[in-house]
Amino acid sequence: RVDEVSALRMVKLTQFVLDACPRQHAEHFVTQKKGGLASLIFNELISFLTRRKADYTMSPVHGQKRSAQVDATKGDVSFLSERLRILRFVYGITDQVKLSIVQLQHLWQLCSIPGDREELMFFIAKASSVTQSNVLGASADTTGNTQQHTAQTSNESVLSAAFSEDVRSSAFLDLFCTDTVNWAELGENAYMSFQLMFKRMTQSPGTALESNGPSLDALWRICLTA
C-alpha cells in the first residue's frame, strides 16, 4: 500500500526545488523534454486519484459504497487540494506547457466524489487565466472547514493560464454545464467557480455563449437547486 504522506511530500519537494530556482531556470526545467516534468506531476495526480477512487468505491462489507462524509472527516481532501495547487503552479510557470481537454476530462471522471469535484472545479476556474494568488479566496472542504488557497512561494504570485481558451470553453460547456453535475451535493466554491468561468466566457472576445445553450440550462439547474 502506498504511503500517501510520503508520496505527497515528494510532490511538494518538486515545487520546492522549482521555487528555489530563478524563474527562468524553473521554466527551463518544466519545458525540457517536451514538458516531461509537468507530465510527471500530472500522472502522479492521476495515480493518486485512481487509488483514492478505488478506496471510496467499495467498502469491505457487501460491496457497499463508503460514505464520502465519513472519509472526508479524516482530512484527506487536503491530499488532493495540495496536489492540484502544485499542478497549477507547475503548469503556470510557463505558457509553453498546457493542459489538454483530454487531461481535464480524465481528472473530472476520477473526481466523482462531491468534495473532490468541488476541488477540481476550483482548480479549473483558478487555472483558466493568468492569475495572482488568492483569486477565489478560501476553499472549503467537505467538512465545512476553510482552507486558504494562497500563494506560498514567490514564483507562484503570477501564473499563466494552465490551458488555452479553447480548452477553457470546452471545460466550461462540457464539464461545468453538463446535466450530470449534482449541484445539490456541491458547496459554495463550486458555485463561485462556475460564476468565475461564466464571467470569463462572456468577457472573452472569441467566445459566444448561446442564449439557449448548455450554460443557460446549467444556470436554471443551479437556481432550482439553491
Side-chain angles (χ1 to χ4, degrees):
R1 187 175 179 84
V2 176
D3 182 342
E4 297 296 353
V5 174
S6 296
L8 179 58
R9 187 180 297 118
M10 294 303 296
V11 178
K12 287 182 175 181
L13 181 61
T14 301
Q15 181 183 4
F16 176 81
V17 171
L18 288 174
D19 193 61
C21 303
R23 183 66 175 249
Q24 186 177 3
H25 292 176
E27 291 177 1
H28 172 72
F29 289 142
V30 171
T31 56
Q32 68 177 346
K33 296 183 179 180
K34 299 180 179 180
L37 178 59
S39 296
L40 184 65
I41 296 297
F42 176 82
N43 290 333
E44 194 281 334
L45 173 58
I46 293 297
S47 296
F48 165 74
L49 286 171
T50 301
R51 297 192 302 270
R52 182 175 173 82
K53 189 171 184 179
D55 287 341
Y56 272 112
T57 300
M58 291 293 181
S59 70
V61 182
H62 305 305
Q64 295 177 342
K65 289 186 177 180
R66 293 181 178 179
S67 167
Q69 292 182 344
V70 170
D71 279 325
T73 61
K74 299 177 182 178
D76 61 1
V77 70
S78 64
F79 284 80
L80 173 59
S81 61
E82 277 293 293
R83 282 175 165 85
L84 289 172
R85 183 184 63 80
I86 295 169
L87 187 72
R88 171 72 184 109
F89 171 71
V90 171
Y91 277 89
I93 288 178
T94 172
D95 59 5
Q96 300 302 309
V97 176
K98 299 288 187 184
L99 288 165
S100 68
I101 187 58
V102 173
Q103 288 176 300
L104 293 183
Q105 288 170 340
H106 197 176
L107 291 175
W108 189 268
Q109 292 169 357
L110 289 172
C111 291
S112 55
I113 304 161
D116 292 359
R117 177 65 56 84
E118 187 166 348
E119 286 293 332
L120 180 60
M121 294 175 78
F122 182 95
F123 162 77
I124 292 174
K126 188 175 181 181
S128 64
S129 68
V130 175
T131 61
Q132 295 188 4
S133 63
N134 205 26
V135 171
L136 290 177
S139 171
D141 62 24
T142 53
T143 65
N145 296 323
T146 299
Q147 300 174 344
Q148 290 294 333
H149 288 254
T150 55
Q152 299 181 8
T153 57
S154 58
N155 275 346
E156 196 180 0
S157 59
V158 178
L159 300 171
S160 63
F163 39 83
S164 67
E165 289 191 6
D166 287 343
V167 171
R168 179 180 66 187
S169 178
S170 294
F172 179 68
L173 295 174
D174 300 334
L175 300 180
F176 280 55
C177 295
T178 180
D179 58 7
T180 60
V181 176
N182 188 346
W183 292 97
E185 296 181 342
L186 299 174
E188 181 180 354
N189 279 285
Y191 292 92
M192 191 162 29
S193 299
F194 180 93
Q195 181 185 43
L196 182 58
M197 290 285 283
F198 184 85
K199 285 183 177 180
R200 286 176 176 167
M201 291 285 292
T202 56
Q203 294 170 357
S204 178
T207 305
L209 295 176
E210 298 178 3
S211 58
N212 61 343
S215 58
L216 183 60
D217 292 340
L219 282 173
W220 273 112
R221 286 192 293 272
I222 292 173
C223 292
L224 293 173
T225 300

